Structure formats: structure tokens, C-alpha cells
Amino acid sequence: MQSPLIIAISGASGSGKSSFTENLFSAFCAQGRPVQVLREDHYYRAQDHLPMEAREKNNYDHPNAFEHELLKAHLQALRNGEPIDYPHYCFKTHTRLPETERLNPAPVIILEGIMLLARPELLPHYDVKIFIDTPLDICLMRRMIRDVKERGRTLESVAKQYESTVKPMYHQFIEPSRFTADVVVTQGGHNQIALDVIKSHIQQALQ
Ligand code: UZR
Ligand code: MG
């Protein structure tokens, strides 16, 4: 098998990374093209050894919160045509689930996550680097709605996390990582022209 095309999609929490990824994924699925999506969130470190109180206090917006060594090993394996055991993470208990998922390499791999472009050692593993550049106030509004609905949070806890870690870590790690991107996408996950440009790049690479 030809080496897969690995696309990294990054940006702030709530910027529209997941929607952009979903849109790309559905377009390729509709054409019957096998695309594998990997989420950096799944690589948050296991914290079974820590009490809940300590887990709640952890800084999840720092690159060290992720097991990037495992992600790197998985990207290398997929490049070599080998399967991986993809971890699963629970946002409510802040740790890994015991089960992993066996994934086989696909010709196109889309990775999405907040710190993907913030680690220089990961950059050589991507073929295409995309940064979704959405104003932080819009990210915050989206995140409030999502975290309350889907991640079991209260408005107060989202606001507190935003002030203590999300915003400062964004400025320290995510914002500067924008300059490593090949493509910067404005207007979030539904930017149709950006989607078309990336889709045609992928199509060309697959030919
Ligand atoms: P996305 N996060 C948690 O709140 N709890 C966890 O156990 C793990 C992660 C949050 C994290 C980050 N931060 O901003 C967000 N905080 O998940 C990243 N605070 O996920 O890119 O899907 O928004
Ligand atoms: Mg997301």
C-alpha cells in the first residue's frame, strides 16, 4: 500500500476543528474513499492513579496533558501500513477507558486536536497542516454550549477553566502554532471554499 496522506487539523477549543474534520470525512465517505479520523483528545493521558480532585485540577490545555509519544508511535505505525490500538478517553472521569479500538491504516488519515501543531517533533509526521482560525469569543460561546450539553459541566466551571487555563494556554501554545500551518482557515468548520481546496488537494494526492 502507498504511504497514507496524513492531515493535521488544529486550532482553539471550539474553533470548529471537529466540524471541519466531519465535513471532510463525509465528503470522502460519500465517494467511497476510506478515510480514518483520529482525535488528539483520545490521547489525553490516563489518570487512573490520581484521585478525582487532582484530575479536576489538571491543566488539560498544556501539551504535556497528552501522550504525544503514543500518538507519534501510532502515526509511524500507520505510515508503515500497520494497525494501531486507538485509545478512548472519558471527559467525565478524566481518564482513559479500559478498551482500545483496533484501527487499520487508510489511504487518508485526518487528525484533529488543539496541540497538534504545537509540538515541533510531531510536525514531520504530517503531510498537510491546517489551522482553523476562529475568534476566541466565538470559540468560548461554542464551548460553553458543548461542554454543558456533552461533557457534563456547569456554566461556572466552563467559565473558570476558560479564565484559568484555556485562554492563557491558547496564547502560549496554540496561537503561535498557527505559523507552522500550510493553510489557515478563517470562519471555522463550514468554510466551503477552504473545504473544497483541501478536498481537491487530497483527491490529487490520491491519484
Ligand atoms: P476540544 N478537557 C477537559 O475539560 N477535561 C479533560 O479531562 C480533558 C480535556 C478539555 C481541555 C481542552 N480543557 O480545552 C479541551 N480544559 O478539552 C480540548 N480546560 O478538547 O479540542 O475538543 O475542545
Ligand atoms: Mg472538537
Side-chain angles (χ1 to χ4, degrees):
M1 194 183 91
Q2 208 189 329
S3 177
L5 184 77
I6 301 184
I7 304 167
I9 301 181
S10 198
S13 175
S15 59
K17 302 180 296 291
S18 305
S19 320
F20 197 85
T21 303
E22 259 329 293
N23 286 344
L24 274 183
F25 177 74
S26 350
F28 281 93
C29 279
Q31 294 176 359
R33 298 264 194 191
V35 175
Q36 187 72 69
V37 173
L38 297 183
R39 302 185 196 283
E40 190 189 28
D41 282 355
H42 285 232
Y43 292 83
Y44 271 117
R45 290 184 191 280
Q47 302 192 102
D48 305 272
H49 57 293
L50 293 178
M52 201 52 175
E53 232 192 339
R55 295 185 202 175
E56 279 167 0
K57 285 195 193 127
N58 192 17
N59 180 355
Y60 297 99
D61 293 280
H62 193 282
N64 292 346
F66 296 93
E67 198 179 347
H68 280 138
E69 317 77 54
L70 181 64
L71 174 62
K72 195 166 121 184
H74 282 179
L75 294 180
Q76 276 163 339
L78 291 167
R79 264 228 201 271
N80 295 334
E82 295 155 12
I84 59 164
D85 291 319
Y86 184 49
H88 280 257
Y89 183 84
C90 174
F91 277 89
K92 288 195 180 146
T93 55
H94 307 282
T95 195
R96 293 245 175 99
L97 295 173
E99 318 76 52
T100 57
E101 185 185 350
R102 179 53 60 117
L103 295 183
N104 290 310
V108 179
I109 294 163
I110 307 177
L111 252 177
E112 64 116 335
I114 55 174
M115 292 294 163
L116 293 176
L117 304 183
R119 284 269 199 212
E121 65 272 28
L122 284 176
L123 300 179
H125 295 272
Y126 313 137
D127 299 298
V128 182
K129 301 183 279 294
I130 300 172
F131 188 91
I132 311 290
D133 199 8
T134 303
L136 265 192
D137 55 344
I138 295 180
C139 296
L140 172 63
M141 276 194 299
R142 292 210 194 117
R143 185 173 161 135
M144 285 216 157
I145 296 168
R146 177 199 67 190
D147 281 6
V148 170
K149 266 196 194 157
E150 295 169 23
R151 293 187 182 174
R153 303 294 159 75
T154 60
L155 271 185
E156 290 71 19
S157 76
V158 179
K160 204 170 145 213
Q161 258 195 347
Y162 180 78
E163 214 186 320
S164 62
T165 63
V166 180
K167 188 175 154 76
M169 296 297 111
Y170 170 79
H171 290 302
Q172 188 173 346
F173 297 106
I174 304 175
E175 196 180 33
S177 80
R178 178 183 185 275
F179 297 97
T180 68
D182 302 304
V183 181
V184 174
V185 175
T186 57
Q187 299 158 44
H190 301 281
N191 181 334
Q192 198 52 51
I193 296 189
L195 278 164
D196 289 344
V197 169
I198 306 293
K199 270 190 255 171
S200 67
H201 178 85
I202 299 175
Q203 255 146 1
Q204 267 177 13
L206 286 177
Q207 270 159 18

